[in-house]
Amino acid sequence: MNISRSQLFWMLFISEIVLLTYFALGPSLKQARQDIWMAYLLAGGGAVIGSYLMAKVGLAQPNKTVMEYSQLILGKWFGKPVALAYIVFWFYIMMIMLHGTVDFIKTNLLYQTPAIIVMLLEIVLMLYFNLAGGITTIGRASQVIGPLLFIAAFLPLLLNSHHMDLNQLLPVYEQREPIVTGALLIFCFAGETSAAMMMTAFMKEANKAASGVLNAIGFGMLWGCLMSVAVIMVFGPISAADMYHPQFMYMKSISILNFIQNFDLVITFFLQFGIMIKLAYHLFISSYGMAQLLRIRNWHNVTWSMAVLLFICMLLTSKLSYEFYIKPWIFLIFNLAIPCLLWIVQLVRKNIT
C-alpha cells in the first residue's frame, strides 16, 4: 500500500477543513469571540511545530510507522506503551468525530432518524473504505473529494461578502486569556501530527512527506482563520458564540437576489464525504497499528474488531456531546509533547553514537 505526496496533502487538508470549521469553530468562538483569528494563528503555530518535529523523526526512520520507531527510539519497555497509547488516542478521536457528526446530522438534517442508524451507516462506510484497499483507496478518494470540498467551502466566502462588516472584529486583543483558551480548543482539532507520523510510512517518496504535511496544516489553519473571521463579520461575536454550528448558519444565510439560496445543502453534501475520509484513515491507522503491535499479519481482522468496538463504545456514550471529549491537555501530550520527546531522544542517541 502506497500513497503519494498529493494524496497525503489532500487527506490532511480535508481533515483540517472539516475539523477547524465544523467542530473547532463553535467551542472556540465562545472563548475568543472577535479575537478568534488570533486563536487560530496561535494554534496553527503549535500544530506546525509538532508536525515539523514528527516529520524530522519520521525522515530519520524511513518506511517505519510510529509503532516501529517509537520502540527503536525509546526501547521496547517505553516504546510499546507509547505506541499503544497512540492507538487509544486515535480511537478517542474517532469517537469525537462520530459524536460530532451524529449531533450535526440530528440537529440540522435528519431530525427524526434514530442516532443508532446514523452511527451504523458511518461505520459501515468506514469499513468499506478500509476493506476495499486501505490507505491507497482513501488517498485516491481524497484526491477527488478534496478539491470539490475546497471549492464548495470557499465559494460561500465570496457569496456572503456583501453581508460582512469589519467593525464586528473590534475591539482587537480585548483579553489575552480567552484567546489562549480558544487556541487550546482549536489545537485539539488542528494537530494532525499523530496521524501524519503514521501515514508518512506509506509514502512512495518519504523525503517529501514533511512538505506535504506542513502545507496541509498551514493552508488548513489559514482557511479556518478566514472562515472564523467571515462568521464574526456576518453575525457578530455575541450572536456567533451562541450558535451550536455557526458555520452552518453562515451557509444558510446566503441569499443573492432570492435566487442563490440553500447553499448549505451543497456544502453539507461534500462535508459528509470529508468526514468520511477523516474517519476512514483513522480507522486504518488504528487497525494497522494494532496489527503491528500484536504482530498480526492480516490487519483486516483487526479492522473488523475495531469497528465493532467503536460501535459498542458509541452506544454506551450516546448521550454525551462531542464537546464533552474536548480535553486540550490530551491533545497537547500526543500532538506536541511526545513528538518533542521522540525528537530529543533520537537527537541525543544520534550524538552519543
Side-chain angles (χ1 to χ4, degrees):
M1 293 182 291
N2 289 312
I3 56 173
S4 65
R5 176 181 175 274
S6 172
Q7 291 170 343
L8 178 66
F9 169 82
W10 282 115
M11 277 191 288
L12 296 179
F13 185 58
I14 287 171
S15 176
E16 294 295 300
I17 289 180
V18 170
L19 293 178
L20 293 178
T21 56
Y22 288 89
F23 293 93
L25 184 56
S28 58
L29 263 174
K30 292 179 174 61
Q31 301 295 328
R33 300 295 178 97
Q34 71 272 8
D35 292 326
I36 185 69
W37 59 275
M38 294 185 189
Y40 267 95
L41 295 179
L42 185 60
V48 168
I49 291 171
S51 300
Y52 175 76
L53 292 176
M54 221 47 248
K56 294 287 287 184
V57 174
L59 287 174
Q61 308 286 343
N63 301 320
K64 287 184 173 61
T65 67
V66 66
M67 303 296 117
E68 296 169 313
Y69 65 68
S70 63
Q71 297 180 56
L72 291 174
I73 295 172
L74 301 176
K76 288 187 177 181
W77 286 102
F78 294 102
K80 281 190 175 182
V82 168
L84 181 60
Y86 267 110
I87 293 172
V88 175
F89 177 62
W90 295 328
F91 191 87
Y92 179 76
I93 292 176
M94 282 194 289
M95 289 187 64
I96 295 176
M97 287 288 295
L98 267 180
H99 274 293
T101 303
V102 172
D103 286 349
F104 179 82
I105 292 175
K106 287 282 293 179
T107 304
N108 300 301
L109 300 172
L110 306 176
Y111 314 105
Q112 298 180 349
T113 303
I116 189 173
I117 300 299
V118 179
M119 292 179 202
L120 188 59
L121 289 174
E122 295 281 350
I123 292 174
V124 168
L125 287 173
M126 291 162 61
L127 272 172
Y128 174 77
F129 269 106
N130 279 271
L131 299 179
I135 195 68
T136 304
T137 300
I138 299 169
R140 290 173 180 172
S142 67
Q143 282 184 303
V144 177
I145 295 167
L148 296 175
L149 177 60
F150 174 73
I151 294 171
F154 184 76
L155 193 58
L157 293 179
L158 302 177
L159 296 178
N160 227 1
S161 58
H162 59 289
H163 289 151
M164 296 181 183
D165 181 8
L166 283 172
N167 293 322
Q168 301 278 21
L169 294 174
L170 302 175
V172 177
Y173 198 68
E174 187 174 19
Q175 289 181 315
R176 181 177 63 181
E177 186 177 345
I179 296 174
V180 175
T181 305
L184 287 174
L185 291 172
I186 294 169
F187 183 79
C188 293
F189 297 98
E192 281 298 300
T193 306
S194 61
M197 66 188 187
M198 185 72 178
M199 292 191 294
T200 50
F202 299 94
M203 285 194 64
K204 298 175 184 176
E205 300 173 293
N207 59 325
K208 295 182 179 180
S211 61
V213 173
L214 294 177
N215 286 339
I217 292 176
F219 283 116
M221 291 303 304
L222 180 60
W223 161 250
C225 185
L226 289 174
M227 189 67 206
S228 65
V229 168
V231 169
I232 291 292
M233 287 196 293
V234 171
F235 297 117
I238 297 176
S239 297
D242 290 335
M243 295 176 181
Y244 190 56
H245 294 291
Q247 76 296 326
F248 184 74
M249 299 307 298
Y250 177 88
M251 304 297 176
K252 288 180 72 71
S253 67
I254 295 174
S255 178
I256 300 177
L257 301 175
N258 291 324
F259 178 71
I260 300 179
Q261 294 178 328
N262 297 328
F263 200 83
D264 53 292
L265 298 177
V266 178
I267 184 62
T268 300
F269 176 76
F270 289 109
L271 168 67
Q272 294 306 311
F273 279 109
I275 290 173
M276 188 48 54
I277 291 291
K278 169 72 173 174
L279 287 169
Y281 77 66
H282 266 278
L283 179 61
F284 171 78
I285 60 178
S286 58
S287 302
Y288 195 90
M290 183 61 80
Q292 281 190 317
L293 203 60
L294 299 178
R295 297 183 180 180
I296 299 175
R297 290 188 177 182
N298 190 353
W299 62 273
H300 285 158
N301 295 333
V302 183
T303 304
W304 281 103
S305 302
M306 282 284 186
V308 172
L309 181 61
L310 179 62
F311 184 66
I312 294 172
C313 290
M314 287 295 296
L315 290 178
L316 295 175
T317 60
S318 60
K319 295 183 180 180
L320 299 177
S321 169
Y322 81 94
E323 293 185 15
F324 173 82
Y325 294 93
I326 304 175
K327 310 295 182 185
W329 64 270
I330 297 177
F331 293 84
L332 285 171
I333 289 173
F334 285 97
N335 286 333
L336 194 58
I338 294 180
C340 284
L341 174 65
L342 290 172
W343 178 69
I344 292 171
V345 173
Q346 179 178 261
L347 199 62
V348 170
R349 292 185 65 172
K350 183 179 180 181
N351 290 333
I352 292 176
T353 55

